[in-house]
Amino acid sequence: MPGDRAHSRSSRHRDTRQEIVAVAMGLFIDQGYEKTSLREIADELGVTKAALYYHFRTKRDIVEAAFQGSAEQVEEIRQWLSEAPPSRRRNKELVERLATLIGGDAGLAMRFGQANPTTMTSEKLGQQQSDQVAALITRLAGEQPTAEQSIKATLAFGALALSGAGPGARVAAGTAAERRAAGSAVALELLDSIIDE
C-alpha cells in the first residue's frame, strides 16, 4: 500500500539519520569536533560524502540533531516524572528510563560537551543542556527539597551519568555492564532515601 511504503521510507530516513548522529558524535567525542571532518564521518559510515550531505549539510547540523534528540527525551522523562507520585516503584522505573537515556543520545550529547568544551562554550547548546538537566534534577529532588535532598538528587543523576561514560573516561572499575548496574543501584538508593525523609 502507498501509505506503508511512505512510512517505511520515513522510518529508514530516521534510522539513517540516527546512525549518522551516533557515528559522528562518537568521532567528535574520540577525536574532537574540530579535528573530525565530514569526509571521515562518511568513511566511517561507509557512504559517500554526497549521501551524508543528503541528511546533514554541516557538522553543526549533526550536533544540533543530537542535542535536539536528547532534549526531547529529557523533556519526556521530566513530564512523566511530574505526573508520577513519588514511590519506590516510580524511582525504579525512573532509574531505568534515565539509564536508557544516558546510554543513548543524551549520553552522547553529555560526553560531547565534556570532550569539546570550547565548542560547547561558543554555542548555546551547552547552556540549554545544563538548564534541562538542572530542571530534571530539581524534579527528582521533590517539592520544596532540603539541601540534602537536592544534593542526593544531583548525585543520583551523576551516578547514572558516570556509569554511562565511555571507555576512555575511566571513572570506575568494572565492565560497562557492571558500571551501569552499580550506577543504577547507587541512584536508586539515593532517590529512595529522598522519599523516606
Side-chain angles (χ1 to χ4, degrees), residues 1-10 12:
M1 296 175 90
D4 291 341
R5 281 196 298 276
H7 175 72
S8 178
R9 276 194 306 274
S10 170
R12 275 197 312 273

Side-chain angles (χ1 to χ4, degrees), residues 64-165:
E64 284 179 352
F67 275 81
Q68 180 63 36
S70 170
E72 289 168 4
Q73 292 171 330
V74 169
E75 183 54 31
E76 187 178 301
I77 289 176
R78 201 172 70 79
Q79 230 11 76
W80 170 82
L81 192 56
S82 70
E83 297 164 8
S87 70
R88 284 186 160 67
R89 184 175 170 191
R90 180 212 69 176
N91 287 348
K92 187 172 186 327
E93 184 175 346
L94 174 62
V95 166
E96 288 168 5
R97 284 177 177 232
L98 287 173
T100 300
L101 176 83
I102 289 168
D105 292 343
L108 285 174
M110 284 181 223
R111 290 194 297 280
F112 175 88
Q114 293 162 349
N116 298 279
T118 306
T119 304
M120 289 296 282
T121 325
S122 65
E123 303 290 342
K124 294 180 183 173
L125 299 170
Q127 189 58 52
Q128 291 168 349
Q129 185 183 56
S130 293
D131 292 347
Q132 267 207 313
V133 169
L136 180 60
I137 289 171
T138 298
R139 184 72 68 192
L140 290 175
E143 298 285 326
Q144 300 179 324
T146 64
E148 185 175 336
Q149 288 169 326
S150 292
I151 290 170
K152 284 180 176 179
T154 304
L155 290 172
F157 187 85
L160 291 166
L162 288 172
S163 69

